[in-house]
Amino acid sequence: IARFRFSSKTGASVSGLFGFGEVEDYGLTILQPGLSVSKVASVLTDPVNGADDAKAIPGAVVEYCILITNTGTATASAIAASDSLPATTSYVPGSLTSGSTCATATTVEDDNATGPDESDPFGASVSGSALGITATTLSAGASLGVKYRATLH
């Protein structure tokens, strides 16, 4: 609760009695964004078993998904996140996709950080072993998911 004193005269204190002015109590809700980030991985295929019972062995293709969720009560803006590809992997060119969740991350992102795909409404790029993720805004309760694939060494 916040307390406000309104007066037509100057010099009224912010607390205590002053003899004039009106005191009002108001409930306030403070709105702020809050971001949570999770990363999951699943082995899609390997050179021995294919897609059936795939194992994390050299030559296997692993799909990673990074999910950023606004758990706060206000829109988050100017979101920028980064992730390093595991040292034991090589990025699979052209495998970068984005969407509102990991399951709906089907919008193709080119691998660079330029062009219209960087704001549709999310952006993602790869440079060397660094993955970059951007979003202009993310509403309260909304998420963005970015998926990419890598081959295990």
Side-chain angles (χ1 to χ4, degrees):
I1 292 194
R3 180 164 278 183
F4 298 94
R5 176 171 282 176
F6 300 97
S7 175
S8 60
K9 301 197 185 264
T10 59
S13 68
V14 294
S15 62
L17 298 175
F18 193 72
F20 59 85
E22 184 176 333
V23 175
E24 299 283 338
D25 289 332
Y26 294 94
L28 294 179
T29 301
I30 298 174
L31 302 176
Q32 63 184 23
L35 298 178
S36 70
V37 180
S38 63
K39 181 178 180 180
V40 296
S42 57
V43 180
L44 300 179
T45 64
D46 75 41
V48 175
N49 302 302
D52 297 329
D53 196 30
K55 306 275 190 265
I57 60 175
V61 175
V62 178
E63 184 171 75
Y64 295 92
C65 183
I66 299 168
L67 185 67
I68 301 172
T69 303
N70 183 352
T71 58
T73 55
T75 298
S77 54
I79 298 156
S82 62
D83 186 44
S84 296
L85 276 65
T88 58
T89 67
S90 296
Y91 172 71
V92 175
S95 66
L96 197 53
T97 59
S98 68
S100 297
T101 66
C102 290
T104 62
T106 57
T107 301
V108 176
E109 300 285 342
D110 59 19
D111 295 342
N112 62 39
T114 61
D117 65 302
E118 297 308 311
S119 59
D120 59 358
F122 312 122
S125 61
V126 175
S127 178
S129 63
L131 172 72
I133 302 168
T134 59
T136 305
T137 60
L138 191 60
S139 302
S143 296
L144 76 92
V146 172
K147 291 192 304 189
Y148 68 92
R149 293 179 181 180
T151 302
L152 296 178
H153 299 170

